[in-house]
Amino acid sequence: MAVTVSLVALFALVLFFLLRSNSLSWGAAFTAAGFGFFLASTGAAEPINNLATAVINTIPNL
C-alpha cells in the first residue's frame, strides 16, 4: 500500500511539472488520468502492480 501511495504521489508530481511547463495539455492529462483509472479496474491491474513491485524491489540491489 505504501508503494502505491508513493507511486501515485510521484506520478502526480511529474504530471504537475509537465502541465506547468506546458509540455502536456490539460486535455491530455485528463485523458491519461481517466485511462489509468479505468485500467485499474481491468484484469491488467494486477500484472502492472506486480511489475511495479518487482522493479521497486530490484532497485536497491543495483
Side-chain angles (χ1 to χ4, degrees):
M1 180 66 176
V3 172
T4 304
V5 173
S6 299
L7 286 175
V8 168
L10 176 67
F11 285 128
L13 187 64
V14 169
L15 182 60
F16 171 77
F17 283 114
L18 284 173
L19 288 170
R20 189 160 166 89
S21 68
N22 292 329
S23 297
L24 184 68
S25 68
W26 286 100
F30 181 74
T31 303
F35 174 73
F37 176 77
F38 288 114
L39 182 64
S41 64
T42 66
E46 187 172 343
I48 292 171
N49 284 335
N50 291 341
L51 176 64
T53 302
V55 169
I56 289 168
N57 290 333
T58 303
I59 289 173
N61 297 329
L62 294 177

Short mmCIF file of all heavy atoms in Angstrom, two decimals:
data_model
loop_
_atom_site.label_atom_id
_atom_site.label_comp_id
_atom_site.label_asym_id
_atom_site.label_seq_id
_atom_site.Cartn_x
_atom_site.Cartn_y
_atom_site.Cartn_z
N MET A 1 0.82 -1.19 0.00
CA MET A 1 0.00 0.00 0.00
C MET A 1 0.87 1.25 0.00
O MET A 1 0.56 2.20 -0.69
CB MET A 1 -0.93 -0.04 1.22
CG MET A 1 -1.83 1.13 1.32
SD MET A 1 -3.00 1.14 -0.02
CE MET A 1 -3.98 2.52 0.42
N ALA A 2 1.94 1.26 0.77
CA ALA A 2 2.80 2.44 0.84
C ALA A 2 3.47 2.69 -0.50
O ALA A 2 3.67 3.84 -0.89
CB ALA A 2 3.85 2.26 1.93
N VAL A 3 3.83 1.61 -1.21
CA VAL A 3 4.44 1.76 -2.53
C VAL A 3 3.45 2.39 -3.50
O VAL A 3 3.80 3.28 -4.27
CB VAL A 3 4.94 0.40 -3.06
CG1 VAL A 3 5.39 0.50 -4.49
CG2 VAL A 3 6.06 -0.11 -2.18
N THR A 4 2.20 1.97 -3.45
CA THR A 4 1.18 2.51 -4.34
C THR A 4 0.97 3.99 -4.08
O THR A 4 0.91 4.78 -5.02
CB THR A 4 -0.15 1.75 -4.15
OG1 THR A 4 0.09 0.36 -4.36
CG2 THR A 4 -1.19 2.23 -5.13
N VAL A 5 0.89 4.37 -2.83
CA VAL A 5 0.70 5.78 -2.49
C VAL A 5 1.91 6.59 -2.94
O VAL A 5 1.77 7.69 -3.48
CB VAL A 5 0.45 5.94 -0.97
CG1 VAL A 5 0.41 7.40 -0.58
CG2 VAL A 5 -0.84 5.26 -0.58
N SER A 6 3.10 6.05 -2.77
CA SER A 6 4.31 6.74 -3.20
C SER A 6 4.34 6.91 -4.72
O SER A 6 4.74 7.97 -5.22
CB SER A 6 5.55 5.98 -2.75
OG SER A 6 5.60 5.90 -1.35
N LEU A 7 3.97 5.87 -5.43
CA LEU A 7 3.95 5.96 -6.89
C LEU A 7 2.91 6.96 -7.37
O LEU A 7 3.17 7.73 -8.30
CB LEU A 7 3.69 4.60 -7.51
CG LEU A 7 4.85 3.62 -7.48
CD1 LEU A 7 4.40 2.27 -8.02
CD2 LEU A 7 6.02 4.14 -8.26
N VAL A 8 1.76 6.98 -6.73
CA VAL A 8 0.72 7.96 -7.10
C VAL A 8 1.23 9.37 -6.85
O VAL A 8 1.06 10.25 -7.69
CB VAL A 8 -0.58 7.69 -6.32
CG1 VAL A 8 -1.56 8.84 -6.46
CG2 VAL A 8 -1.22 6.39 -6.79
N ALA A 9 1.89 9.58 -5.73
CA ALA A 9 2.43 10.91 -5.44
C ALA A 9 3.52 11.30 -6.44
O ALA A 9 3.57 12.45 -6.90
CB ALA A 9 2.99 10.94 -4.02
N LEU A 10 4.37 10.34 -6.80
CA LEU A 10 5.43 10.61 -7.77
C LEU A 10 4.84 10.96 -9.13
O LEU A 10 5.25 11.95 -9.76
CB LEU A 10 6.35 9.39 -7.90
CG LEU A 10 7.45 9.51 -8.96
CD1 LEU A 10 8.44 10.57 -8.56
CD2 LEU A 10 8.13 8.17 -9.14
N PHE A 11 3.88 10.17 -9.61
CA PHE A 11 3.27 10.46 -10.90
C PHE A 11 2.50 11.78 -10.87
O PHE A 11 2.49 12.51 -11.86
CB PHE A 11 2.35 9.31 -11.34
CG PHE A 11 3.11 8.11 -11.83
CD1 PHE A 11 2.85 6.86 -11.32
CD2 PHE A 11 4.08 8.23 -12.80
CE1 PHE A 11 3.54 5.75 -11.76
CE2 PHE A 11 4.78 7.14 -13.25
CZ PHE A 11 4.52 5.89 -12.73
N ALA A 12 1.87 12.09 -9.75
CA ALA A 12 1.16 13.37 -9.64
C ALA A 12 2.15 14.54 -9.72
O ALA A 12 1.86 15.55 -10.37
CB ALA A 12 0.38 13.43 -8.33
N LEU A 13 3.31 14.40 -9.08
CA LEU A 13 4.31 15.45 -9.13
C LEU A 13 4.86 15.64 -10.54
O LEU A 13 5.00 16.77 -11.02
CB LEU A 13 5.45 15.11 -8.15
CG LEU A 13 6.50 16.17 -7.94
CD1 LEU A 13 5.89 17.41 -7.30
CD2 LEU A 13 7.61 15.62 -7.06
N VAL A 14 5.16 14.54 -11.22
CA VAL A 14 5.64 14.62 -12.60
C VAL A 14 4.59 15.26 -13.49
O VAL A 14 4.89 16.14 -14.31
CB VAL A 14 6.04 13.22 -13.13
CG1 VAL A 14 6.29 13.25 -14.62
CG2 VAL A 14 7.26 12.72 -12.38
N LEU A 15 3.34 14.85 -13.33
CA LEU A 15 2.26 15.42 -14.12
C LEU A 15 2.11 16.91 -13.85
O LEU A 15 1.92 17.70 -14.78
CB LEU A 15 0.95 14.69 -13.82
CG LEU A 15 -0.27 15.13 -14.59
CD1 LEU A 15 -0.07 14.93 -16.08
CD2 LEU A 15 -1.49 14.37 -14.11
N PHE A 16 2.23 17.31 -12.59
CA PHE A 16 2.14 18.73 -12.24
C PHE A 16 3.20 19.55 -12.96
O PHE A 16 2.92 20.59 -13.55
CB PHE A 16 2.28 18.90 -10.72
CG PHE A 16 2.41 20.33 -10.30
CD1 PHE A 16 1.30 21.16 -10.26
CD2 PHE A 16 3.64 20.85 -9.94
CE1 PHE A 16 1.41 22.48 -9.88
CE2 PHE A 16 3.78 22.17 -9.56
CZ PHE A 16 2.65 23.00 -9.52
N PHE A 17 4.45 19.06 -12.95
CA PHE A 17 5.52 19.81 -13.60
C PHE A 17 5.39 19.80 -15.12
O PHE A 17 5.75 20.78 -15.79
CB PHE A 17 6.89 19.29 -13.16
CG PHE A 17 7.27 19.77 -11.79
CD1 PHE A 17 7.40 18.88 -10.75
CD2 PHE A 17 7.47 21.12 -11.53
CE1 PHE A 17 7.73 19.32 -9.48
CE2 PHE A 17 7.79 21.57 -10.27
CZ PHE A 17 7.92 20.67 -9.23
N LEU A 18 4.89 18.72 -15.70
CA LEU A 18 4.65 18.70 -17.14
C LEU A 18 3.58 19.70 -17.53
O LEU A 18 3.69 20.40 -18.53
CB LEU A 18 4.25 17.29 -17.60
CG LEU A 18 5.37 16.27 -17.69
CD1 LEU A 18 4.79 14.89 -17.99
CD2 LEU A 18 6.39 16.66 -18.73
N LEU A 19 2.53 19.78 -16.73
CA LEU A 19 1.48 20.76 -17.01
C LEU A 19 1.98 22.19 -16.82
O LEU A 19 1.65 23.08 -17.60
CB LEU A 19 0.27 20.50 -16.11
CG LEU A 19 -0.57 19.28 -16.45
CD1 LEU A 19 -1.58 19.01 -15.36
CD2 LEU A 19 -1.27 19.49 -17.78
N ARG A 20 2.78 22.39 -15.80
CA ARG A 20 3.30 23.73 -15.51
C ARG A 20 4.24 24.22 -16.60
O ARG A 20 4.28 25.41 -16.90
CB ARG A 20 4.00 23.72 -14.16
CG ARG A 20 4.37 25.07 -13.66
CD ARG A 20 4.60 24.98 -12.16
NE ARG A 20 5.27 26.16 -11.69
CZ ARG A 20 4.63 27.25 -11.28
NH1 ARG A 20 3.33 27.29 -11.30
NH2 ARG A 20 5.32 28.28 -10.83
N SER A 21 5.01 23.32 -17.19
CA SER A 21 5.96 23.71 -18.24
C SER A 21 5.32 23.68 -19.63
O SER A 21 6.02 23.84 -20.62
CB SER A 21 7.17 22.80 -18.22
OG SER A 21 6.81 21.49 -18.61
N ASN A 22 4.03 23.46 -19.69
CA ASN A 22 3.28 23.40 -20.96
C ASN A 22 3.77 22.29 -21.88
O ASN A 22 3.64 22.39 -23.10
CB ASN A 22 3.31 24.74 -21.68
CG ASN A 22 2.53 25.79 -20.95
OD1 ASN A 22 1.55 25.48 -20.27
ND2 ASN A 22 2.97 27.04 -21.05
N SER A 23 4.38 21.26 -21.31
CA SER A 23 4.79 20.11 -22.10
C SER A 23 3.64 19.14 -22.30
O SER A 23 3.73 18.21 -23.08
CB SER A 23 5.94 19.37 -21.41
OG SER A 23 7.06 20.20 -21.31
N LEU A 24 2.56 19.36 -21.57
CA LEU A 24 1.41 18.48 -21.62
C LEU A 24 0.17 19.34 -21.46
O LEU A 24 0.12 20.20 -20.59
CB LEU A 24 1.50 17.45 -20.48
CG LEU A 24 0.44 16.37 -20.41
CD1 LEU A 24 0.60 15.42 -21.60
CD2 LEU A 24 0.59 15.59 -19.12
N SER A 25 -0.80 19.11 -22.29
CA SER A 25 -2.03 19.91 -22.20
C SER A 25 -2.95 19.33 -21.13
O SER A 25 -2.81 18.18 -20.72
CB SER A 25 -2.74 19.94 -23.54
OG SER A 25 -3.24 18.67 -23.86
N TRP A 26 -3.92 20.15 -20.70
CA TRP A 26 -4.87 19.69 -19.69
C TRP A 26 -5.73 18.55 -20.23
O TRP A 26 -6.07 17.63 -19.50
CB TRP A 26 -5.76 20.84 -19.24
CG TRP A 26 -5.03 21.77 -18.34
CD1 TRP A 26 -4.48 22.98 -18.70
CD2 TRP A 26 -4.72 21.59 -16.97
NE1 TRP A 26 -3.86 23.55 -17.62
CE2 TRP A 26 -4.00 22.71 -16.54
CE3 TRP A 26 -4.99 20.58 -16.06
CZ2 TRP A 26 -3.55 22.85 -15.24
CZ3 TRP A 26 -4.55 20.74 -14.76
CH2 TRP A 26 -3.83 21.86 -14.37
N GLY A 27 -6.06 18.59 -21.50
CA GLY A 27 -6.86 17.52 -22.09
C GLY A 27 -6.11 16.20 -22.09
O GLY A 27 -6.69 15.15 -21.78
N ALA A 28 -4.82 16.25 -22.42
CA ALA A 28 -4.02 15.02 -22.41
C ALA A 28 -3.86 14.49 -20.99
O ALA A 28 -3.89 13.28 -20.76
CB ALA A 28 -2.66 15.29 -23.03
N ALA A 29 -3.70 15.38 -20.02
CA ALA A 29 -3.58 14.95 -18.63
C ALA A 29 -4.88 14.31 -18.15
O ALA A 29 -4.86 13.29 -17.47
CB ALA A 29 -3.22 16.14 -17.74
N PHE A 30 -6.00 14.90 -18.51
CA PHE A 30 -7.30 14.33 -18.12
C PHE A 30 -7.50 12.96 -18.76
O PHE A 30 -7.96 12.02 -18.12
CB PHE A 30 -8.42 15.28 -18.54
CG PHE A 30 -9.78 14.80 -18.16
CD1 PHE A 30 -10.21 14.86 -16.85
CD2 PHE A 30 -10.64 14.28 -19.12
CE1 PHE A 30 -11.47 14.40 -16.48
CE2 PHE A 30 -11.90 13.83 -18.78
CZ PHE A 30 -12.31 13.90 -17.45
N THR A 31 -7.10 12.84 -20.02
CA THR A 31 -7.21 11.55 -20.73
C THR A 31 -6.31 10.50 -20.08
O THR A 31 -6.73 9.36 -19.89
CB THR A 31 -6.84 11.73 -22.20
OG1 THR A 31 -7.69 12.72 -22.78
CG2 THR A 31 -6.97 10.43 -22.97
N ALA A 32 -5.09 10.88 -19.72
CA ALA A 32 -4.17 9.94 -19.08
C ALA A 32 -4.69 9.50 -17.72
O ALA A 32 -4.60 8.32 -17.36
CB ALA A 32 -2.79 10.58 -18.93
N ALA A 33 -5.24 10.43 -16.96
CA ALA A 33 -5.78 10.09 -15.64
C ALA A 33 -6.99 9.17 -15.79
O ALA A 33 -7.14 8.21 -15.03
CB ALA A 33 -6.16 11.35 -14.88
N GLY A 34 -7.84 9.46 -16.75
CA GLY A 34 -9.00 8.60 -16.99
C GLY A 34 -8.59 7.21 -17.43
O GLY A 34 -9.16 6.21 -16.98
N PHE A 35 -7.59 7.14 -18.30
CA PHE A 35 -7.09 5.85 -18.76
C PHE A 35 -6.55 5.04 -17.58
O PHE A 35 -6.85 3.86 -17.43
CB PHE A 35 -5.99 6.04 -19.80
CG PHE A 35 -5.32 4.76 -20.22
CD1 PHE A 35 -5.99 3.86 -21.03
CD2 PHE A 35 -4.05 4.45 -19.80
CE1 PHE A 35 -5.38 2.67 -21.41
CE2 PHE A 35 -3.44 3.28 -20.17
CZ PHE A 35 -4.10 2.39 -20.98
N GLY A 36 -5.78 5.68 -16.71
CA GLY A 36 -5.24 4.99 -15.54
C GLY A 36 -6.33 4.53 -14.60
O GLY A 36 -6.26 3.43 -14.04
N PHE A 37 -7.35 5.36 -14.42
CA PHE A 37 -8.46 5.00 -13.55
C PHE A 37 -9.19 3.77 -14.07
O PHE A 37 -9.47 2.83 -13.33
CB PHE A 37 -9.42 6.18 -13.44
CG PHE A 37 -10.65 5.89 -12.63
CD1 PHE A 37 -10.59 5.87 -11.25
CD2 PHE A 37 -11.86 5.63 -13.25
CE1 PHE A 37 -11.71 5.60 -10.50
CE2 PHE A 37 -12.99 5.37 -12.51
CZ PHE A 37 -12.92 5.35 -11.12
N PHE A 38 -9.49 3.76 -15.37
CA PHE A 38 -10.22 2.63 -15.93
C PHE A 38 -9.33 1.40 -16.09
O PHE A 38 -9.80 0.27 -16.00
CB PHE A 38 -10.87 3.01 -17.25
CG PHE A 38 -12.03 3.93 -17.07
CD1 PHE A 38 -12.01 5.22 -17.53
CD2 PHE A 38 -13.17 3.50 -16.40
CE1 PHE A 38 -13.07 6.07 -17.35
CE2 PHE A 38 -14.25 4.34 -16.21
CZ PHE A 38 -14.20 5.63 -16.68
N LEU A 39 -8.03 1.59 -16.31
CA LEU A 39 -7.11 0.47 -16.40
C LEU A 39 -7.03 -0.27 -15.07
O LEU A 39 -6.88 -1.49 -15.02
CB LEU A 39 -5.73 0.95 -16.82
CG LEU A 39 -4.65 -0.12 -17.00
CD1 LEU A 39 -5.04 -1.05 -18.15
CD2 LEU A 39 -3.32 0.52 -17.26
N ALA A 40 -7.17 0.48 -13.98
CA ALA A 40 -7.08 -0.13 -12.64
C ALA A 40 -8.23 -1.09 -12.38
O ALA A 40 -8.12 -1.96 -11.52
CB ALA A 40 -7.07 0.96 -11.58
N SER A 41 -9.32 -0.96 -13.11
CA SER A 41 -10.46 -1.84 -12.88
C SER A 41 -10.48 -3.04 -13.84
O SER A 41 -11.44 -3.80 -13.84
CB SER A 41 -11.76 -1.05 -13.00
OG SER A 41 -11.92 -0.56 -14.31
N THR A 42 -9.44 -3.21 -14.65
CA THR A 42 -9.39 -4.33 -15.58
C THR A 42 -8.50 -5.44 -15.01
O THR A 42 -7.90 -5.29 -13.95
CB THR A 42 -8.81 -3.90 -16.94
OG1 THR A 42 -7.44 -3.52 -16.77
CG2 THR A 42 -9.61 -2.76 -17.54
N GLY A 43 -8.39 -6.50 -15.75
CA GLY A 43 -7.53 -7.61 -15.36
C GLY A 43 -6.06 -7.29 -15.48
O GLY A 43 -5.21 -8.01 -14.96
N ALA A 44 -5.72 -6.19 -16.15
CA ALA A 44 -4.32 -5.80 -16.31
C ALA A 44 -3.76 -5.13 -15.06
O ALA A 44 -2.55 -4.93 -14.97
CB ALA A 44 -4.17 -4.86 -17.50
N ALA A 45 -4.60 -4.79 -14.11
CA ALA A 45 -4.15 -4.06 -12.93
C ALA A 45 -3.17 -4.89 -12.10
O ALA A 45 -2.15 -4.39 -11.64
CB ALA A 45 -5.34 -3.63 -12.09
N GLU A 46 -3.47 -6.16 -11.89
CA GLU A 46 -2.60 -6.99 -11.05
C GLU A 46 -1.22 -7.22 -11.67
O GLU A 46 -0.21 -7.04 -10.97
CB GLU A 46 -3.27 -8.33 -10.73
CG GLU A 46 -2.47 -9.13 -9.72
CD GLU A 46 -3.21 -10.36 -9.25
OE1 GLU A 46 -4.43 -10.45 -9.44
OE2 GLU A 46 -2.53 -11.23 -8.70
N PRO A 47 -1.11 -7.55 -12.97
CA PRO A 47 0.24 -7.69 -13.55
C PRO A 47 1.03 -6.38 -13.52
O PRO A 47 2.25 -6.40 -13.31
CB PRO A 47 -0.03 -8.13 -14.99
CG PRO A 47 -1.37 -8.75 -14.96
CD PRO A 47 -2.13 -8.03 -13.90
N ILE A 48 0.35 -5.26 -13.70
CA ILE A 48 1.04 -3.96 -13.65
C ILE A 48 1.54 -3.71 -12.23
O ILE A 48 2.68 -3.25 -12.04
CB ILE A 48 0.12 -2.83 -14.15
CG1 ILE A 48 -0.13 -2.99 -15.64
CG2 ILE A 48 0.72 -1.46 -13.84
CD1 ILE A 48 -1.20 -2.07 -16.19
N ASN A 49 0.74 -4.01 -11.23
CA ASN A 49 1.17 -3.85 -9.84
C ASN A 49 2.33 -4.78 -9.52
O ASN A 49 3.27 -4.39 -8.83
CB ASN A 49 0.01 -4.11 -8.88
CG ASN A 49 -0.97 -2.97 -8.84
OD1 ASN A 49 -0.62 -1.83 -9.12
ND2 ASN A 49 -2.20 -3.27 -8.48
N ASN A 50 2.27 -6.01 -10.02
CA ASN A 50 3.37 -6.96 -9.80
C ASN A 50 4.66 -6.48 -10.45
O ASN A 50 5.74 -6.60 -9.87
CB ASN A 50 3.00 -8.34 -10.33
CG ASN A 50 1.91 -9.00 -9.52
OD1 ASN A 50 1.66 -8.61 -8.38
ND2 ASN A 50 1.23 -9.96 -10.12
N LEU A 51 4.57 -5.93 -11.65
CA LEU A 51 5.74 -5.40 -12.34
C LEU A 51 6.33 -4.22 -11.58
O LEU A 51 7.54 -4.14 -11.39
CB LEU A 51 5.37 -4.98 -13.77
CG LEU A 51 6.49 -4.32 -14.58
CD1 LEU A 51 7.62 -5.31 -14.81
CD2 LEU A 51 5.96 -3.79 -15.89
N ALA A 52 5.47 -3.30 -11.14
CA ALA A 52 5.95 -2.14 -10.37
C ALA A 52 6.63 -2.58 -9.08
O ALA A 52 7.68 -2.06 -8.70
CB ALA A 52 4.80 -1.19 -10.08
N THR A 53 6.06 -3.56 -8.41
CA THR A 53 6.64 -4.08 -7.17
C THR A 53 7.99 -4.74 -7.44
O THR A 53 8.95 -4.54 -6.68
CB THR A 53 5.69 -5.09 -6.51
OG1 THR A 53 4.44 -4.44 -6.26
CG2 THR A 53 6.25 -5.60 -5.20
N ALA A 54 8.09 -5.49 -8.51
CA ALA A 54 9.35 -6.15 -8.86
C ALA A 54 10.43 -5.13 -9.17
O ALA A 54 11.59 -5.28 -8.74
CB ALA A 54 9.15 -7.09 -10.04
N VAL A 55 10.09 -4.09 -9.90
CA VAL A 55 11.07 -3.05 -10.23
C VAL A 55 11.52 -2.32 -8.96
O VAL A 55 12.72 -2.09 -8.77
CB VAL A 55 10.48 -2.05 -11.26
CG1 VAL A 55 11.35 -0.82 -11.41
CG2 VAL A 55 10.29 -2.74 -12.60
N ILE A 56 10.57 -2.00 -8.10
CA ILE A 56 10.92 -1.30 -6.85
C ILE A 56 11.79 -2.17 -5.96
O ILE A 56 12.72 -1.68 -5.32
CB ILE A 56 9.64 -0.84 -6.13
CG1 ILE A 56 9.00 0.29 -6.93
CG2 ILE A 56 9.92 -0.41 -4.71
CD1 ILE A 56 7.61 0.65 -6.51
N ASN A 57 11.52 -3.46 -5.91
CA ASN A 57 12.34 -4.37 -5.09
C ASN A 57 13.72 -4.61 -5.71
O ASN A 57 14.65 -4.97 -4.99
CB ASN A 57 11.62 -5.70 -4.89
CG ASN A 57 10.43 -5.56 -3.99
OD1 ASN A 57 10.37 -4.68 -3.14
ND2 ASN A 57 9.45 -6.45 -4.18
N THR A 58 13.87 -4.42 -7.01
CA THR A 58 15.13 -4.63 -7.68
C THR A 58 16.06 -3.43 -7.55
O THR A 58 17.28 -3.60 -7.51
CB THR A 58 14.90 -4.93 -9.18
OG1 THR A 58 14.04 -6.06 -9.27
CG2 THR A 58 16.18 -5.21 -9.91
N ILE A 59 15.52 -2.24 -7.44
CA ILE A 59 16.33 -1.01 -7.42
C ILE A 59 17.39 -1.03 -6.31
O ILE A 59 18.53 -0.69 -6.58
CB ILE A 59 15.42 0.23 -7.33
CG1 ILE A 59 14.68 0.41 -8.66
CG2 ILE A 59 16.22 1.48 -6.98
CD1 ILE A 59 13.62 1.51 -8.66
N PRO A 60 17.09 -1.43 -5.08
CA PRO A 60 18.15 -1.43 -4.06
C PRO A 60 19.29 -2.40 -4.35
O PRO A 60 20.40 -2.24 -3.84
CB PRO A 60 17.43 -1.85 -2.77
CG PRO A 60 15.99 -1.57 -3.02
CD PRO A 60 15.79 -1.74 -4.49
N ASN A 61 19.05 -3.42 -5.18
CA ASN A 61 20.07 -4.42 -5.48
C ASN A 61 20.99 -4.01 -6.60
O ASN A 61 21.92 -4.74 -6.92
CB ASN A 61 19.40 -5.75 -5.82
CG ASN A 61 18.62 -6.31 -4.65
OD1 ASN A 61 18.97 -6.09 -3.50
ND2 ASN A 61 17.54 -7.01 -4.95
N LEU A 62 20.74 -2.86 -7.23
CA LEU A 62 21.59 -2.45 -8.35
C LEU A 62 22.89 -1.89 -7.90
O LEU A 62 23.22 -1.35 -7.03
CB LEU A 62 20.84 -1.42 -9.21
CG LEU A 62 19.62 -1.95 -9.93
CD1 LEU A 62 18.92 -0.84 -10.68
CD2 LEU A 62 20.01 -3.05 -10.91
#
